[in-house]
Amino acid sequence: MSLMTLLEQAQGGGLYAAVARSLDLDDAETRKAMRKLCPAIAERLQEKAAADPELFQTLLDLIEEGAEGSPLDTVEALTGAEAVADGNAILEDVYGSRNQAMVALREVDETIPERELRKLAPISATAVVAA
């Protein structure tokens, strides 16, 4: 099953809408942004994991630490402060720094509003690793 299929089916098909509501963002923009951010993060993660096979396991351990189930199961587990901190740590590991991640992800789609990018990038990173 592909990454995007997993995310489309998460939370009974309501993952994107739930994330949007929890962050006070527009549903359609959230869906559009995550559909672009998640594959870009996944691609970068695959590249980094190929060079460092232990990286992916380290990132899995990070998001599973103290979690009950997958962060994809509930919106709070994906958008809460701990999940966002985990997502920022994932971005740092995968891109070198959060700032470099924002620059790279901005290039993925320049139409994503800055507010959404700042909020959705770490959530997307957590979602990618969880998926």
Side-chain angles (χ1 to χ4, degrees), residues 86-97:
D86 291 347
N88 281 319
I90 292 165
L91 292 172
E92 288 176 15
D93 286 342
V94 172
Y95 288 92
S97 73

Side-chain angles (χ1 to χ4, degrees), residues 65-106:
E65 189 175 294
E68 301 213 8
S70 168
L72 298 179
D73 294 340
T74 62
V75 72
E76 295 82 21
L78 190 59
T79 62
E82 185 174 338
V84 171
D86 291 347
N88 281 319
I90 292 165
L91 292 172
E92 288 176 15
D93 286 342
V94 172
Y95 288 92
S97 73
R98 186 175 190 286
N99 187 50
Q100 288 174 326
M102 293 299 112
V103 170
L105 294 172
R106 167 61 51 222

Side-chain angles (χ1 to χ4, degrees), residues 32-75:
K32 178 184 171 215
M34 288 185 73
R35 283 182 173 171
K36 294 200 177 198
L37 296 174
C38 290
I41 293 167
E43 183 178 329
R44 182 67 181 241
L45 176 59
Q46 285 179 322
E47 292 169 4
K48 294 291 277 192
D52 180 2
E54 293 179 17
L55 174 66
F56 188 68
Q57 186 58 50
T58 300
L59 295 177
L60 277 176
D61 292 344
L62 174 72
I63 66 167
E64 290 176 352
E65 189 175 294
E68 301 213 8
S70 168
L72 298 179
D73 294 340
T74 62
V75 72

